Amino acid sequence: MKFTPETYKLPDISMQPFIDDEEIDDILKNAKPNREQVLAVIDKSLNKNRLSLHDTALLLNTEDPELVELIKDGARKLKEKVYGKRIVLFAPLYVGNYCSNNCRYCGFKASNKNALRKTLTKEELIENVKALEEHGQKRLILVFGEHRVYSADFIADTVKTVYGVKKDHGEIRRVNINAAPFDIEGFKIVKESGIGTYQVFQETYHHPTYTTCHTSGRKSDYDYRLTALDRAMEAGIDDVGIGALFGLYDYKFEVMGLIRHVNHLEACYQIGPHTISFPRIQDASEYDLDDKYAVTDEQFTKLVAILRLAVPYTGLILTARESRQVRDEVLAFGCSQIDAGTKLEIGAYAENPGVDQNLNKEQFKINDDRTLNEVIDELLDGDYLPSFCTACYRKGRTGQHFMEFSVPGFIKKFCTPNALLTLAEYIVDYASPATAEKGWKVIERNLKQMDEVYHDKVKERIERIQAGERDLYF
Ligand code: SAM
Ligand code: SF4
């Protein structure tokens, strides 16, 4: 079946598979970009329009280095125009690595006899959350293998425990999830625990590759995975994250799959995903895939710029899988969230085993092991505004994340002030003296650029934070 805009108007397409490999191949094959077309597509995005699959294919097939540079420039401009300077920070917390699937790229796969399996006990969980709070983290993503022990009730309990941990001024204000998909009932249970975003990555949208990479277990069912976020939406979770694992198949196909997925969610639920993730494959224990589709740095930076232009209002998540150099380049294209102070070994935040990774205890290798303070320090040097803001979710402004993009003045009214307030809290409670000095200067500079009315409101709240109040937001 071919999917057309008309098909999408039918009400019964929710919960139905929607990826047609042949259609994506056809669009890619027929997209032969010339300079005018590329410039027109960039312009369309800069005017805050979503790109079609055909537009996206034109950008993906652009190989002329000068035009690729224009695409990257377009992404930089869009970022400046729409998102301003703030970068939201979070940390992943691996809760358990038991897994009954066999994803060939993952160190947690069931067949990996070298994997050292562990699930944090409640006490260990609390100790790890305290350790994260002591560094200043406010937003976590909890990560789980896919196993019957990680039931919806278990995940919901874990979320509630995390929210309950308070160390000094520390607290976790937003808990996101990356775990196996549930049925609708399961998603309802997890929603009730107060989660932020529920992430499920399709890994590869290409059917034959999916089958080759997922050899057994629940995850080997492509369609069950593909429709996971439809079930989440049906369960009332309107804040979802999609992703593809780059390196399993042709990167162009995967970008097209992601855009098709956005189209599907928008058509069925009138809301696209909150975030898109684009992890690039890294070494892992018992890794057994060839590197035929390995994505080079040049391809990777290009594809991030294209994603930015294709879905101008969706959050882009960049992780510590990437080196600091690559992260620096693509941050400028409008990635909205990055992790910092990342440790993948289960329990490592509390045990502090050092920076060397033991891949038998971890899912994959990371390439950026800077501490949270180091990342914040360098963001400040780069004129970014590090933010721990959780205001929209807590004020009930969920499911409308595109407001920051489409509602005039939204960033000025909410995002920048909240970034400044959370940065002020970080400086007072956790920053090194050198970072604190830089941080106050950045706050001063940003305050000066604000309209008088916001300036006064934010300054008054910063003074209250300096006097000991916490968790002030707009
Ligand atoms: N078990 C859950 C699942 O499969 O959906 C949670 C996901 S896993 C713990 C988080 C993500 O890490 C996966 O969805 C996959 O995209 C990514 N991942 C797995 N192995 C990887 C590797 N070797 N390199 C980079 N990312 C990897
Ligand atoms: Fe298990 Fe997820 Fe790893 Fe697959 S990616 S083996 S489901 S933890």
Side-chain angles (χ1 to χ4, degrees):
M1 175 184 179
K2 286 269 184 264
F3 295 92
T4 64
E6 284 65 43
T7 332
Y8 276 115
K9 292 199 186 100
L10 299 172
D12 59 356
I13 55 163
S14 65
M15 320 279 272
Q16 300 297 318
F18 50 87
I19 294 284
D20 179 342
D21 291 13
E22 215 183 301
E23 180 199 40
I24 291 180
D25 283 338
D26 278 352
I27 301 175
L28 275 171
K29 201 169 72 206
N30 293 321
K32 301 199 169 75
N34 60 39
R35 190 184 171 85
E36 285 63 44
Q37 282 173 314
V38 172
L39 292 178
V41 173
I42 296 172
D43 234 40
K44 181 173 173 185
S45 172
L46 286 174
N47 285 314
K48 300 187 177 184
N49 296 304
R50 272 264 279 107
L51 300 185
S52 67
L53 280 170
H54 181 68
D55 298 331
T56 309
L58 286 173
L59 298 188
L60 286 166
N61 283 344
T62 300
E63 305 293 349
D64 174 350
E66 193 204 323
L67 290 181
V68 171
E69 206 34 59
L70 289 178
I71 292 173
K72 291 182 177 179
D73 259 356
R76 285 186 201 104
K77 281 193 194 121
L78 189 69
K79 180 215 159 37
E80 273 157 36
K81 188 165 162 182
V82 174
Y83 289 94
K85 299 173 187 164
R86 77 191 201 290
I87 304 284
V88 173
L89 294 159
F90 70 96
L93 173 56
Y94 278 72
V95 179
N97 66 350
Y98 284 87
C99 194
S100 42
N101 291 322
N102 268 309
C103 309
R104 289 176 58 195
Y105 43 81
C106 177
F108 294 169
K109 60 183 165 243
S111 64
N112 184 2
K113 299 283 175 274
N114 294 325
L116 299 161
R117 308 276 170 186
K118 181 172 173 61
T119 303
L120 293 177
T121 63
K122 193 161 181 167
E123 291 67 36
E124 288 167 337
L125 177 69
I126 292 171
E127 285 315 307
N128 276 273
V129 176
K130 278 186 187 164
L132 285 155
E133 289 178 356
E134 277 169 4
H135 285 101
Q137 303 280 6
K138 296 281 186 282
R139 306 168 58 106
L140 299 184
I141 179 148
L142 305 185
V143 189
F144 304 81
E146 177 159 3
H147 194 271
R148 58 190 150 70
V149 292
Y150 310 132
S151 62
D153 285 314
F154 177 87
I155 292 182
D157 274 355
T158 308
V159 172
K160 288 184 207 152
T161 303
V162 170
Y163 279 129
V165 178
K166 316 264 180 205
K167 179 85 205 299
D168 304 323
H169 279 309
E171 61 180 346
I172 300 302
R173 298 176 183 156
R174 181 174 172 117
V175 178
N176 298 331
I177 301 290
N178 186 323
F182 291 111
D183 57 15
I184 294 174
E185 280 316 303
F187 275 123
K188 281 187 185 161
I189 293 170
V190 179
K191 178 186 162 52
E192 283 309 300
S193 66
I195 58 161
T197 308
Y198 202 103
Q199 290 183 356
V200 177
F201 303 160
Q202 184 62 21
E203 319 296 10
T204 172
Y205 285 92
H206 186 245
H207 283 82
T209 306
Y210 191 94
T211 305
T212 316
C213 291
H214 304 96
T215 52
S216 63
R218 187 62 166 120
K219 195 165 162 182
S220 58
D221 182 341
Y222 180 109
D223 288 346
Y224 185 76
R225 183 91 177 168
L226 187 68
T227 51
L229 296 175
D230 292 68
R231 296 192 295 282
M233 290 277 192
E234 296 287 336
I237 299 178
D238 59 6
D239 187 333
V240 298
I242 64 173
L245 182 56
F246 281 88
L248 297 178
Y249 186 61
D250 177 27
Y251 79 94
K252 297 182 182 179
F253 189 100
E254 304 298 10
V255 171
M256 296 290 279
L258 287 167
I259 303 304
R260 166 55 91 213
H261 204 158
V262 176
N263 291 349
H264 173 79
L265 293 173
E266 281 180 350
C268 294
Y269 310 101
Q270 290 71 56
I271 178 153
H274 186 174
T275 56
I276 298 182
S277 298
F278 35 86
R280 195 161 43 152
I281 234 165
Q282 307 297 326
D283 193 17
S285 173
E286 297 289 301
Y287 182 85
D288 79 338
L289 288 167
D290 61 34
D291 58 2
K292 182 167 174 214
Y293 293 107
V295 178
T296 64
D297 286 356
E298 190 45 48
Q299 290 166 336
F300 184 75
T301 51
K302 171 179 151 184
L303 80 84
V304 178
I306 294 173
L307 279 174
R308 174 69 302 150
L309 291 172
V311 279
Y313 57 77
T314 303
L316 296 183
I317 302 186
L318 175 67
T319 69
R321 291 173 181 86
E322 298 302 333
S323 69
R324 183 184 154 182
Q325 289 70 22
V326 170
R327 286 181 117 186
D328 283 351
E329 178 171 359
V330 295
L331 262 188
F333 302 157
C335 295
S336 44
Q337 297 186 30
I338 60 170
D339 56 340
T342 297
K343 291 186 182 176
L344 299 194
E345 185 176 323
I346 295 165
Y349 291 113
E351 288 164 12
N352 202 8
V355 287
D356 287 342
Q357 286 189 263
N358 175 350
L359 286 186
N360 288 331
K361 292 181 170 174
E362 308 186 30
Q363 196 186 13
F364 50 80
K365 184 153 175 29
I366 58 170
N367 289 300
D368 185 350
D369 59 10
R370 285 175 293 169
T371 64
L372 176 59
N373 196 83
E374 283 166 346
V375 171
I376 288 184
D377 199 87
E378 284 163 39
L379 287 175
L380 292 168
D381 281 340
D383 199 28
Y384 289 106
L385 190 54
S387 173
F388 293 94
C389 178
T390 52
C392 280
Y393 150 75
R394 292 158 80 215
K395 286 266 190 187
R397 297 191 292 253
T398 65
Q400 300 167 37
H401 50 270
F402 52 84
M403 282 194 305
E404 63 193 77
F405 172 78
S406 57
V407 176
F410 191 90
I411 294 196
K412 209 158 79 174
K413 196 165 159 196
F414 298 112
C415 306
T416 306
N418 287 328
L420 291 172
L421 295 179
T422 55
L423 177 59
E425 276 192 351
Y426 177 82
I427 294 173
V428 173
D429 289 334
Y430 309 104
S432 71
T435 307
E437 199 183 322
K438 267 183 219 173
W440 287 125
K441 281 191 190 141
V442 168
I443 289 178
E444 268 314 309
R445 216 166 43 238
N446 276 273
L447 277 172
K448 274 197 194 124
Q449 288 161 6
M450 285 183 148
D451 298 350
E452 202 178 323
V453 43
Y454 296 119
H455 172 280
D456 293 352
K457 281 188 191 168
V458 177
K459 196 161 170 46
E460 180 262 334
R461 280 171 173 76
I462 289 180
E463 281 162 10
R464 281 164 57 192
I465 288 169
Q466 287 171 314
E469 274 189 72
R470 291 292 174 272
D471 203 16
L472 303 174
Y473 55 93
F474 294 93

